[in-house]
Amino acid sequence: MSEPARGPVRDVAIVAFGQSEHVPDSAETSEVEMLMPVLHDVLARTGLKARDIDFTCSGSSDYLAGRAFSFTMALDGVGAWPPISESHVEMDGAWALYEAWVKILTGEADTALVYAYGKSSPGDLREVLTRQLDPYYVAPLWPDSVALAALQAQALIDAGHTDARELATIGAHRRGRPDAAPGRQVVGPLRTGDCPPVVDGAAAVVLAAGDTARRLADRPAWIRGLDHRIEAHALGVRDLTDSPSTRLAAEHAGAFDAPVDVAELHAPFTSQEVVLRRALRLDAPGSTVRINPSGGALAANPVMAAGLIRLGEAAAAVQRGDADRALAHATSGPCLQQNLVAVLEGER
Amino acid sequence: MSNAARAKEPVAVVGVGQTKHVAARRDVSIAGLVREAAQRALEDAELTWADIDAVVIGKAPDFFEGVMMPELYLADALGAVGKPMLRVHTAGSVGGSTALVATNLVAARVHRTVLTLAFEKQSESNAMWGLSLPVPFQQPLLAGAGGFFAPHVRAYMRRTGAPDAIGSLVAYKDRRNALKNPYAHLHEHDLTLEKVQSSPMLWDPIRYSETCPSSDGACAMVLTDRAGAARAPRPPAWVHGGAMRSEPTLFAGKDFVSPQAGKDCAADVYRQAGITDPRRQIDAVEMYVPFSWYEPMWLENLGFAAEGEGWKLTESGVTELGGDLPVNPSGGVLSTNPIGASGMIRFAEAALQVRGQAGDHQVDGARRALGHAYGGGAQFFAMWLVGSEAPAG
Amino acid sequence: MSEVLTAPLVVEFPFTRSLGPVQSAFLTGLRERTVLGVRARDGRVVVPPVEYDPVTADELRELVEVAPTGTVTTWAWNPSARRGQPLDTPFAWVLVRLDGADTALLHALDAPGPEAVRSGMRVRIRWAAERTGAITDIACFEPADDAAEQPHGRPHGGEFADPVTGITAPARLDYTYAPGRTQSRYIQGLAEHKTVGERCPACRKVYVPPRGACPTCGVATGEQVEVGPRGTVTTFCIVNIKARNLDIDVPYVYAHIALDGADLALHARIGGIPYDQVRMGLRVEPVWTEGARHPDHYRPTGEPDADYDSYKELI
């Protein structure tokens, strides 16, 4: 790689976050009907109107919807008239936030609206996600997303990094039911308590630069670092007990420079939280970090929005004053193939 | 904008690579296809995989290849392991949007050297299947892709009084230009204007020869900062302006013939680039013309001609390779259409023109060129203006 | 009225995948009961063989034959097989490092129960009876406690008679499509042969069909407004080729029609008039057929054509 660039030139913050209720089945509402109230909510928190926003970016997936160009209809909820500066990633909304952050860093925008939505209920999510896999060697076997996570969990257990009891404890705590039983086996060793609920939902954040952010929020959550990295695709060439891409992203985001008060980890499976905590060194002796106070993806996992929600929840913790420094993480792909890390801070 | 700490980093295109676009690349995998374009872009820049800081990839709907978020599978082939990788999807404009997202990574000084790439391997499925997945309760699109656009062409003809033959002039010009471009899909050596004009009327007023093909292809560019450009072995193309604009798919008052988002996008790019008279100041245009009549329509939308006058530029030969505003010297989308890559090919061909690297379809002395892409229901626009000189300041 | 509609939506296609040289050699090899890997830059043998080095991104071409026996590196018990998976009885998903390989291959292991599976166990390939050159030529793995670890892989030219250069990968996904509240209302109106648009509370425009939001104002539409049934052809094309899956004789006219009272045009076929006599401004009305959800087509009303200025903003 060439020498590092000279670094971000502007301070950018998350100034507002909103999300829908996350429900198992949203047949009542179309995507835009689900999304629009969230957009209204997040804009209302800043006092901005849609037309005051300099840049809009969203994340969603056609494969969830079962329809090509599904994001074009969601744009109806934005009110893109007069025409707006707008883009879309076929990724979790966390990466839409990344694109918007870069746009603000260029100086071409002072504010950005980022949103993401996903309805998992129309299809069979475990089956749909098989279409992400190597189309020649793996996808023809239809290995579902729980099976792949279970392979990772077993590797962790074999390596002595966790056991079924710890996994059950994580699952129960994230759902706020510390005494809950781990449930039936889905794909062993994973039980229902280890797996994310399949839900539909939407989320949005507003980003703003410098003094604009200070004007729009009492306590903006400043993005001190933001980076993402990807790993090789084939599961068989990766060490599934580790997440080098998370560690690398965290290093580039400055996550290891100082302890964080809160960490919002996008770990759809209990075993993946173990991998992430190790990669991010959150279990160090004396650590006081609160992990996933929101419940994380184990409490609500609206696919394509769940990563953006981690950024939003971490920012909200800073904005509420519950944290001075928070880490947010988002993931994409089978067994944590791609990972994003952000470090957020309140004004010192 | 206020409180920008300092000006953006200037961004240069130092490498361009394309595959030879064809109906079906049966000799390569999806990874092999994208790799070929990326490798050529690296070779053009005389860089290696290790020199690339991040990868930005774009394509049209995942259903075309039947791979959900294919960037996950393509990470290895594009040397992205251990690096940031972004996947953009803005419908037909995606190739242009993808290049702009990559440009911003350098302009914002997040990265120094970025590989950007767009592709479509349409032979894995069938474009019309991918574009017209049935949606329950909705009336099926009764006419195919051409049928979506043909009524707008008729509206343009009614509004401007353009003669019926204009569309055939564009098709003939672009297909002749394609003969000078070794990467173009269609190479119709014995095409004549008469053959275009007598080709079957598919969606009246659009004839068969006035429609784009369905291609397998990929296009890649290496973008870098000022220091990277100084080390480049061949002349760079400098980004003088870039913008995206979107408007809703369907709305009361939408002008399908000349969408406001297209006008606004062009105006933003011209403002950034200091263009006040595009017709005189721009030397070559690579515009997204999937059906021939869109050339005169976009000439007006992009400010090269007054409203109602675009067809006159086409008719008088201004847009020919030897004219004073050559449009689609590469042969354009009418000759090559790997859907998700088509926008990036426009951007890359504009860059080749100002680098003086366009080979037989080089516009003599091109110093400023516009790359243009659009998609959806003529609602998403992405454009950039590149120049042979570094931007001022 | 408040009933929300749903309907099955099947997305299905037999994708045709060309392979390129490395994947072609591997899949052809499986057909011939030969397992190939590829040597990476760091010397590791990667099975199944990748085209590009996962570390250096170099193109890889040096093929190596490995054994059909190997060791489970991790596993997961699948108590209920799902559609398309290698076995239809309970089985274990396994990553297997074949003898001679340094990386693992994902597949199924046929085992009587989870107690019979562990990481580190020895397994061998069970070949499919009929092999075509696909990953499913490996039917699954089976336990092979007796299989001694085989020596390292040996070079292989990757050449076979009649190589497989492509695969067909059928994929079917089943969805339940729900158009949501607003479109459900619209569709229920159509059942009574009424076209009911919705008015934006901000800009007052009437949307037909309504989609839940006024796309220019970004607010919910609500007030229902019956429009039509008559309307004006704003523009059109004459379709001369048969569209996929449509049983309509060509040529026919596909038109944009602004229904009276609507602020944008919808799309429909025009009938009841020779195709070459359809024109912008033609006044039309819907023709319903028994049991159809949408009007079959629109036909001329016989009224005088609308003046261009009266509909030019709706084109």
Side-chain angles (χ1 to χ4, degrees):
Chain A
M1 248 169 271
S2 60
E3 64 269 47
R6 278 152 287 176
V9 296
R10 305 184 83 190
D11 289 330
V12 181
I14 295 176
V15 295
F17 164 58
Q19 59 184 321
S20 66
E21 244 186 276
H22 304 296
V23 296
D25 184 349
S26 61
E28 286 276 318
T29 55
S30 65
E31 278 107 342
V32 68
E33 287 167 338
M34 181 174 76
L35 171 67
M36 194 162 48
V38 178
L39 298 177
H40 291 173
D41 173 48
V42 78
L43 287 171
R45 287 165 195 262
T46 61
L48 292 173
K49 301 272 182 243
R51 66 193 47 180
D52 301 326
I53 296 286
D54 295 329
F55 183 64
T56 301
C57 196
S58 62
S60 67
S61 165
D62 281 350
Y63 256 91
L64 278 193
R67 304 193 314 282
F69 306 111
S70 54
F71 64 93
T72 62
M73 287 299 153
L75 187 60
D76 282 358
V78 175
W81 188 260
I84 61 173
S85 177
E86 189 261 351
S87 184
H88 173 263
V89 295
E90 192 83 353
M91 307 179 80
D92 185 286
W95 279 266
L97 183 147
Y98 181 86
E99 182 181 332
W101 174 70
V102 171
K103 178 79 174 181
I104 293 177
L105 291 183
T106 65
E108 290 170 10
D110 280 347
T111 54
L113 173 65
V114 178
Y115 64 89
Y117 64 91
K119 289 179 111 189
S120 296
S121 65
D124 178 334
L125 182 64
R126 288 169 67 181
E127 204 160 80
V128 168
L129 290 175
T130 64
R131 302 301 91 192
Q132 285 186 337
L133 305 168
D134 175 327
Y136 309 92
Y137 297 163
V138 184
L141 303 175
W142 297 83
D144 62 278
S145 48
V146 179
L148 299 181
L151 287 166
Q152 185 173 32
Q154 185 63 46
L156 272 179
I157 292 170
D158 289 341
H161 295 323
T162 192
D163 55 30
R165 178 185 297 197
E166 186 192 24
L167 297 183
T169 303
I170 292 171
H173 275 90
R174 297 298 165 250
R175 294 191 178 86
R177 296 194 301 270
D179 302 323
R184 68 172 174 83
Q185 193 175 75
V186 185
V187 179
L190 295 179
R191 297 179 172 274
T192 49
D194 297 309
C195 302
V198 176
V199 298
D200 303 345
V205 306
V206 175
L207 299 180
D211 290 341
T212 307
R214 291 182 189 95
R215 200 176 71 241
L216 295 175
D218 292 337
R219 185 172 152 93
W222 297 103
I223 299 173
R224 296 301 185 207
L226 182 55
D227 195 87
H228 61 102
R229 303 280 153 165
I230 196 166
E231 296 176 29
H233 180 61
L235 297 183
V237 307
R238 289 166 52 194
D239 173 2
L240 297 179
T241 67
D242 193 10
S243 183
S245 59
T246 298
R247 191 161 44 244
L248 195 54
E251 279 166 11
H252 282 269
F256 299 128
D257 297 351
V260 295
D261 306 316
V262 163
E264 281 286 342
L265 308 181
H266 184 192
F269 297 92
T270 53
S271 43
Q272 294 180 340
E273 183 179 309
V274 175
V275 176
L276 293 169
R277 275 159 45 176
R278 286 170 48 82
L280 292 166
R281 302 175 206 153
L282 296 175
D283 292 335
S287 169
T288 57
V289 61
R290 279 166 285 147
I291 294 174
N292 284 354
S294 70
L298 286 163
N301 186 38
V303 176
M304 308 314 288
L308 179 63
I309 290 171
R310 303 281 74 72
L311 284 140
E313 291 282 10
V318 170
Q319 291 202 265
R320 284 193 305 265
D322 289 351
D324 288 324
R325 181 175 160 90
L327 179 149
H329 159 270
T331 196
S332 177
C335 296
L336 305 172
Q337 187 192 347
Q338 187 175 21
N339 295 284
L340 175 146
V341 174
V343 175
L344 304 169
E345 286 183 353
E347 208 90 57
R348 290 291 165 100
Chain B
M1 291 295 159
S2 63
N3 79 357
R6 53 190 142 125
K8 287 187 289 183
E9 176 69 24
V11 183
V13 183
V14 294
V16 172
Q18 293 182 61
T19 57
K20 163 73 176 97
H21 307 288
V22 295
R25 274 297 298 271
R26 298 201 198 283
D27 60 322
V28 290
S29 63
I30 298 169
L33 183 77
V34 300
R35 172 74 174 208
E36 197 171 293
Q39 190 72 52
R40 285 175 181 163
L42 285 177
E43 283 163 11
D44 186 18
E46 295 183 12
L47 294 175
T48 68
W49 293 102
D51 296 314
I52 298 299
D53 299 328
V55 179
V56 185
I57 184 169
K59 69 175 297 302
D62 290 356
F63 288 112
F64 282 169
E65 288 82 10
V67 184
M68 179 184 184
M69 300 159 76
E71 65 280 4
L72 296 166
Y73 143 72
L74 292 170
D76 304 55
L78 292 174
V81 173
K83 298 174 186 174
M85 188 173 199
L86 270 169
R87 156 71 193 290
V88 181
H89 176 18
T90 61
S93 67
V94 65
S97 309
T98 304
L100 292 174
V101 172
T103 301
N104 282 344
L105 284 171
V106 178
R109 299 187 174 86
V110 173
H111 297 298
R112 306 199 80 140
T113 303
V114 176
L115 173 69
T116 186
L117 181 138
F119 78 99
E120 211 70 71
K121 196 163 185 305
Q122 294 187 220
S123 67
E124 303 269 313
S125 72
N126 171 301
M128 275 323 296
W129 172 80
L131 289 171
S132 57
L133 299 175
V135 180
F137 308 115
Q138 289 185 12
Q139 199 156 18
L141 178 62
L142 287 168
F148 183 83
F149 291 103
H152 306 312
V153 169
R154 183 177 305 275
Y156 173 77
M157 296 165 77
R158 170 67 178 81
R159 200 183 283 188
T160 64
D164 292 356
I166 297 298
S168 62
L169 298 177
V170 175
Y172 181 63
K173 165 185 70 80
D174 284 4
R175 296 276 163 78
R176 299 292 295 173
N177 287 349
L179 295 175
K180 299 177 190 292
N181 174 5
Y183 296 104
H185 174 178
L186 297 182
H187 282 151
E188 299 179 321
H189 291 279
D190 48 3
L191 191 72
T192 62
L193 184 58
E194 292 68 35
K195 283 184 181 171
V196 173
Q197 290 175 341
S198 60
S199 72
M201 193 64 99
L202 299 187
W203 301 282
D204 191 338
I206 296 179
R207 292 182 183 279
Y208 171 72
S209 289
E210 299 172 39
T211 65
C212 53
S214 174
S215 316
D216 282 359
C219 178
M221 290 189 283
V222 176
L223 306 179
T224 191
D225 60 6
R226 201 183 333 231
R231 291 191 294 266
R234 279 174 273 280
W238 293 94
V239 180
H240 288 235
M244 296 184 225
R245 281 294 183 285
S246 307
E247 65 183 43
T249 314
L250 292 165
F251 62 94
K254 181 174 174 90
D255 185 348
F256 273 100
V257 172
S258 189
Q260 188 64 39
K263 293 180 188 174
D264 291 1
C265 190
D268 192 357
V269 170
Y270 298 157
R271 177 188 58 74
Q272 294 172 38
I275 299 285
T276 51
D277 184 351
R279 170 86 165 78
R280 288 187 200 292
Q281 291 173 279
I282 293 175
D283 303 312
V285 185
E286 282 282 344
M287 65 169 70
Y288 201 110
V289 176
F291 300 97
S292 59
W293 277 92
Y294 273 84
E295 175 176 301
M297 289 161 72
W298 294 143
L299 283 168
E300 297 171 27
N301 189 248
L302 298 175
F304 292 108
E307 213 158 281
E309 307 279 317
W311 61 271
K312 293 177 183 170
L313 297 188
T314 299
E315 186 180 52
S316 62
V318 167
T319 61
E320 288 180 19
L321 188 47
D324 70 13
L325 184 68
V327 174
N328 290 329
S330 69
V333 180
L334 280 174
S335 306
T336 303
N337 189 31
I339 295 182
S342 287
M344 189 171 288
I345 296 171
R346 307 280 70 71
F347 277 45
E349 286 286 352
L352 288 174
Q353 288 293 343
V354 299
R355 296 174 71 204
Q357 304 278 319
D360 289 347
H361 62 284
Q362 178 68 46
V363 173
D364 285 341
R367 293 174 57 244
R368 290 189 200 86
L370 182 70
H372 161 271
Y374 88 106
Q379 65 182 123
F380 301 117
F381 292 82
M383 304 174 201
W384 80 1
L385 194 128
V386 285
S388 55
E389 307 286 330
Chain C
M1 173 59 217
S2 62
E3 189 196 345
V4 174
L5 299 171
T6 62
L9 166 62
V10 177
V11 177
E12 184 172 24
F13 201 85
F15 293 94
T16 50
R17 308 213 180 281
S18 49
L19 295 172
V22 170
Q23 299 186 137
S24 169
F26 175 70
L27 294 178
T28 308
L30 294 185
R31 190 188 67 195
E32 307 303 326
R33 302 198 211 197
T34 298
V35 186
L36 299 181
V38 71
R39 194 173 296 283
R41 281 286 171 268
D42 57 9
R44 291 190 303 168
V45 174
V46 180
V47 181
V50 293
E51 300 183 87
Y52 304 99
D53 193 296
V55 179
T56 65
D58 286 323
E59 184 172 320
L60 301 179
R61 287 291 179 270
E62 189 187 336
L63 297 171
V64 178
E65 183 178 350
V66 300
T69 54
T71 304
V72 170
T73 63
T74 185
W75 62 284
W77 184 253
N78 191 23
S80 48
R82 300 165 65 85
R83 183 167 72 180
Q85 295 181 343
L87 295 168
D88 50 18
T89 52
F91 66 92
W93 289 105
V94 283
L95 280 169
V96 175
R97 190 176 58 243
L98 293 170
D99 298 337
D102 296 292
T103 68
L105 175 150
L106 176 72
H107 220 293
L109 171 68
D110 189 4
E115 61 287 344
V117 187
R118 61 186 166 78
S119 297
M121 75 184 283
R122 299 284 295 157
V123 294
R124 77 160 60 85
I125 289 173
R126 180 191 297 164
W127 295 103
E130 287 190 25
R131 295 181 305 283
T132 59
I135 192 66
T136 46
D137 288 356
I138 298 176
C140 61
F141 283 87
E142 57 191 24
D145 294 334
D146 54 328
E149 192 132 357
Q150 310 236 348
H152 289 301
R154 50 182 182 187
H156 192 288
E159 281 165 21
F160 298 93
D162 189 22
V164 175
T165 59
I167 57 173
T168 301
R172 174 185 170 128
L173 293 170
D174 286 84
Y175 296 88
T176 301
Y177 175 71
R181 283 187 294 261
T182 310
Q183 290 191 70
S184 290
R185 283 198 294 265
Y186 173 73
I187 293 158
Q188 281 151 3
L190 287 179
E192 299 166 33
H193 294 189
K194 288 181 180 167
T195 302
V196 184
E198 294 197 4
R199 191 186 300 280
C200 171
C203 70
R204 309 297 295 163
K205 299 288 187 188
V206 174
Y207 276 84
V208 183
R211 299 194 305 266
C214 170
T216 60
C217 302
V219 297
T221 54
E223 182 194 341
Q224 294 188 275
V225 182
E226 187 173 347
V227 300
R230 293 184 168 188
T232 301
V233 172
T234 60
T235 184
F236 65 95
C237 70
I238 303 163
V239 179
N240 286 308
I241 53 163
K242 273 206 178 287
R244 199 182 150 80
N245 299 335
L246 280 180
D247 187 25
I248 305 173
D249 287 335
V250 294
Y252 62 89
V253 171
Y254 176 69
H256 296 188
I257 299 164
L259 296 180
D260 296 346
D263 285 301
L264 75 173
L266 49 71
H267 302 173
R269 187 167 65 89
I270 303 295
I273 177 175
Y275 70 90
D276 54 358
Q277 290 178 28
V278 174
R279 56 212 178 258
M280 295 166 75
L282 183 69
R283 294 284 296 161
V284 294
E285 63 189 7
V287 177
W288 294 87
T289 50
E290 190 64 34
R293 192 181 304 281
H294 299 275
D296 180 70
H297 63 273
Y298 284 73
R299 68 181 173 206
T301 63
E303 296 167 275
D305 286 0
D307 188 45
Y308 180 60
D309 285 338
S310 74
Y311 64 84
K312 69 178 183 187
E313 303 298 329
L314 297 170
I315 295 179

